[in-house]
Each structure stands twice: as structure tokens, then as C-alpha cells.
Amino acid sequence: MTKSEEDLDIPADIEQDDQALRLREGGRSYLAIAEQLGLERATTARARYLRALRRRPPTEQSALCLRELHRLDSVADHIATRKDRDQPEISRQLRMVDRLRLDLFET
């Protein structure tokens, strides 16, 4: 890819990042976002969400982060009360949620 071709992708990448943020704000999971945007993995959707978040003004970032933290709290509560998983699996999933929380503070 030439330099000019890379430049042409920048607006499309920004738009896809913004779409990921809008979808997440709408309550979609990262997996659902990845599927809707044609991305290979949920982690790619998460990265796009975080990039869009970083481009927002500080006050908007704060509000977005707070809403995401509430979503993650709900996920953690759900995981912690599952009866169909053993304790090591629940602990592993809760550590993953903790990592997602930490990512927000690196924004």
C-alpha cells in the first residue's frame, strides 16, 4: 500500500471507530460490534471503541467512561452469580473484566 492509499483509509478507519463507539453506547457487546462491522475479533472492536473514545473531548470521555464502567459492573455482577461455571472460570472471567476497566483508565 502506498502512502496515498494509507491516507485514504484514515477517514474510513475513523468512521468505523466512531461506529464502534456508537454501537457500544447502544448496549452492543464487543462481539456483536465486531460481527456488525465485519471485524475478525471482539478485541478489534474494543480497540476501535477505545480509539474513538480517546478522540473525544475530556468531558465527553469522562461521561463515556462512566457509562462503560457501569456496563462492566453489570457484566461482573452477572459473571459472579453464574451457577453454570466453576470458581476458577468465574475468577478468570472477572480478571478479564478488570482488565477491560483498566483499559479505560489508559485512555
Side-chain angles (χ1 to χ4, degrees):
M1 185 179 288
T2 67
K3 180 70 171 157
S4 62
E5 289 172 328
E6 287 176 359
D7 291 344
L8 292 175
D9 289 342
I10 291 172
D13 286 346
I14 289 172
E15 177 55 32
Q16 198 168 58
D17 292 352
D18 290 343
Q19 276 185 290
L21 187 136
R22 284 191 300 273
L23 290 167
R24 184 65 177 170
E25 281 293 294
R28 304 294 295 276
S29 69
Y30 290 114
L31 180 59
I33 293 167
E35 290 170 354
Q36 184 164 342
L37 298 181
L39 305 171
E40 289 186 27
R41 294 185 283 202
T43 55
T44 306
R46 172 88 175 154
R48 288 195 173 279
Y49 166 83
L50 290 171
R51 279 195 302 267
L53 180 65
R54 286 183 198 111
R55 284 195 305 273
R56 297 300 189 267
T59 55
E60 187 179 352
Q61 274 186 29
S62 295
L64 290 165
C65 284
L66 186 58
R67 286 194 295 272
E68 180 68 0
L69 287 170
H70 286 298
R71 280 189 291 273
L72 294 173
D73 287 345
S74 294
V75 169
D77 290 345
H78 173 73
I79 291 168
T81 60
R82 291 189 69 166
K83 303 295 183 204
D84 62 334
R85 300 283 190 258
D86 62 13
Q87 192 56 48
E89 178 60 16
I90 289 172
S91 295
R92 184 190 70 78
Q93 290 180 2
L94 290 173
R95 283 191 306 274
M96 290 173 56
V97 172
D98 286 342
R99 180 65 212 156
L100 295 176
R101 284 186 184 112
L102 289 174
D103 287 347
L104 287 174
F105 296 108
E106 294 174 1
T107 309

